[in-house]
Amino acid sequence: MNNFISVKDVTDIDALVAKALLFKQQPFAESLLGNNKKIGLLFLNPSLRTRISTQVAAKNLGMEAIVFNVDKEGWALEFTEGAVMNGTTVEHVKDAAPVLGSYFDILCIRTFPSLKNREEDYAETIINQFILHAGVPVISLESATLHPLQSLTDVITITESLKEKNITKPKIVLSWAPHIKPLPQCVANSFSQWINAWGKADFVITHPEGYELDEQFTKGATITHDQQEALKNADFVYVKNWSSYHDYGAMPAVEGDWMLTNEKLASGNQAKIMHCLPVRRNVELSDELLDGPNSLVTEQGANRVWAAQAVIAEMLTRKTNK
Ligand code: CP
C-alpha cells in the first residue's frame, strides 16, 4: 500500500479487516513496528474520532504521532500551480509538503470540500498535491470526496456484527437524512465505494430526488427514492446526510420526513443502525434509535482505532520490506 486514499489502494478488503480485528484482540501485537518512526497528522478542519483514533493507533504500534492544525496554526496554503501569491495565501504546498515529508515517515491529511466548485473538489487537488510533493506515504483522514478510514471501519463493524447475526449476504441500506446545513458527499461516496468493492451485500441507497450521488461510487447499488421500500428487511441501515452532487452543494427541497425512527423500521429485520458521527440528534436520527439496542454508532467510533492501526501497520511493513 503506497498511499491510502480510497478502496482502490486496498488489494484485499477482508484481509485488512481481519488484520484490524486481530489488533482489536491484541492492540500491542506489533508494538515495535513503528519504533523510532513518526507520523504527522495534518488537519484543515475539526475532528474528534479521526484525530484521536489515529493517534492511539500509532501509539499502539510504537510510533510517535504529531498533530498539526494547519487551518489554525499554520501558514495559509496555496494549491494552485503557477499562482501569483499576492493575496491571502502565504506558503505553496510545493514548498510545505517536502519539508513535512522530511519530518515524517507517514503523512496523514484531513481536508474538506469547498462545496462550491465540483470540478476542483472532485479533482482532489489538496490531497493529490501532498501525494505529489511529500515524498512519503500519505493517508487520507477524509478528503474532498472520500473518507476511507471511516469506510474501512464500517466494513469492520458490519463484519463483526454479521458473525453475531449469522447472516452471509446482508441487506445494507444507505439512507439519506435531513440536516440543517449542506454537508459533503464524502462519507456516502466512500461507503458506497467500499460496499460495492466488498461485494458481499445486497446494497440499496435511498434518498430524495435531487440527492443523486456520483455514479462512479454508487454503480452496482440499487437506488430508490422510496425510503420505506428500501428499509424493508434491512439488516443494516447507514444513516447520513449529504448535499446535492448535481446542483453542487445545494440542499434541494425534500418532500416528507426522512429522519429515521423506530416506527419506520417496525416491519423490518431488527436492523442495526449506523452513523459515522458526529450526529445531529433528532434531526438526522432519533434519540430512540441512537440510544436503542440496535445502534452500532459507539462500536463504529471505537473501531476507528483498529482501522487506522491496520492501515498504518500495512504501510510500515511495506516500508520495512523495501
Ligand atoms: N467520523 C468522523 O470522521 O469523525 P470526526 O469528524 O470526529 O473525525
Side-chain angles (χ1 to χ4, degrees):
M1 193 185 289
N2 292 326
N3 300 297
F4 184 73
I5 306 303
S6 86
V7 77
K8 292 179 184 166
D9 295 309
V10 180
T11 45
D12 186 337
I13 296 174
D14 281 328
L16 197 58
V17 168
K19 193 177 182 89
L21 289 173
L22 213 62
F23 281 132
K24 188 168 183 173
Q25 295 301 315
Q26 299 175 49
F28 309 112
E30 295 189 35
S31 62
L32 298 179
L33 191 63
N35 221 2
N36 298 325
K37 296 195 187 299
K38 293 185 187 65
I39 187 165
L41 313 182
L42 310 185
F43 286 86
L44 282 94
N45 56 292
S47 163
L48 185 153
R49 279 145 292 273
T50 307
R51 173 176 172 149
I52 296 175
S53 64
T54 311
Q55 282 180 282
V56 173
K59 193 157 177 53
N60 288 348
L61 293 166
M63 249 187 146
E64 186 177 354
I66 295 176
V67 176
F68 184 46
N69 296 309
V70 182
D71 56 335
K72 295 183 185 71
E73 296 154 355
W75 302 115
L77 289 176
E78 175 63 57
F79 294 93
T80 308
E81 186 67 37
V84 178
M85 291 173 54
N86 57 3
T88 52
T89 55
V90 178
E91 178 163 29
H92 204 286
V93 67
K94 285 167 89 169
D95 303 313
V99 174
L100 290 163
S102 75
Y103 299 154
F104 298 113
D105 299 276
I106 298 174
L107 201 55
C108 308
I109 299 148
R110 170 177 269 205
T111 70
F112 237 46
S114 66
L115 290 183
K116 290 185 174 71
N117 183 328
R118 190 175 75 188
E119 282 63 42
E120 258 177 33
D121 287 344
Y122 274 68
E124 291 285 10
T125 311
I126 296 180
I127 206 151
N128 283 330
Q129 290 272 338
F130 273 100
I131 291 171
L132 194 63
H133 299 295
V136 291
V138 172
I139 294 177
S140 167
L141 300 175
E142 188 173 358
S143 66
T145 66
L146 295 169
H147 196 351
L149 280 175
Q150 180 64 55
S151 308
L152 171 58
T153 303
D154 299 334
V155 178
I156 291 166
T157 310
I158 290 169
T159 301
E160 275 185 311
S161 187
L162 278 181
K163 283 180 197 151
E164 284 167 28
K165 281 182 158 234
N166 212 11
I167 301 170
T168 45
K169 189 164 188 189
K171 179 176 178 182
I172 300 177
V173 179
L174 171 62
S175 185
W176 183 89
H179 205 279
I180 60 158
K181 63 178 189 178
L183 294 189
Q185 295 102 36
C186 312
V187 171
N189 283 344
S190 196
F191 185 72
S192 303
Q193 188 191 42
W194 279 71
I195 297 299
N196 278 328
W198 191 45
K200 292 189 168 176
D202 172 13
F203 183 37
V204 179
I205 302 172
T206 185
H207 57 72
E209 282 184 40
Y211 288 87
E212 288 71 20
L213 293 162
D214 185 347
E215 206 181 306
Q216 68 168 305
F217 304 117
T218 60
K219 204 170 180 184
T222 303
I223 301 169
T224 172
H225 300 316
D226 186 341
Q227 187 189 34
Q228 208 51 60
E229 181 62 29
L231 294 173
K232 268 186 203 158
N233 300 321
D235 296 299
F236 298 89
V237 183
Y238 200 104
V239 179
K240 187 71 186 87
N241 169 267
W242 62 88
S243 58
S244 175
Y245 168 72
H246 290 286
D247 184 7
Y248 194 57
M251 296 169 72
V254 170
E255 267 181 40
D257 185 2
W258 278 74
M259 185 179 81
L260 199 66
T261 57
N262 255 334
E263 198 186 343
K264 286 191 181 177
L265 291 168
S267 63
N269 248 355
Q270 288 288 303
K272 297 284 187 188
I273 306 302
M274 302 180 74
H275 189 288
C276 61
L277 301 181
V279 65
R280 297 254 180 177
R281 280 177 173 254
N282 303 310
V283 174
E284 293 178 80
L285 248 173
S286 62
D287 275 340
E288 60 186 8
L289 282 175
L290 280 164
D291 299 332
N294 290 324
S295 172
L296 290 179
V297 299
T298 305
E299 282 89 335
Q300 281 175 271
N303 281 338
R304 291 293 304 268
V305 170
W306 318 118
Q309 196 164 332
V311 169
I312 297 168
E314 279 284 304
M315 285 192 173
L316 290 175
T317 308
R318 173 195 157 274
K319 280 194 78 152
T320 309
N321 291 341
K322 240 172 116 177

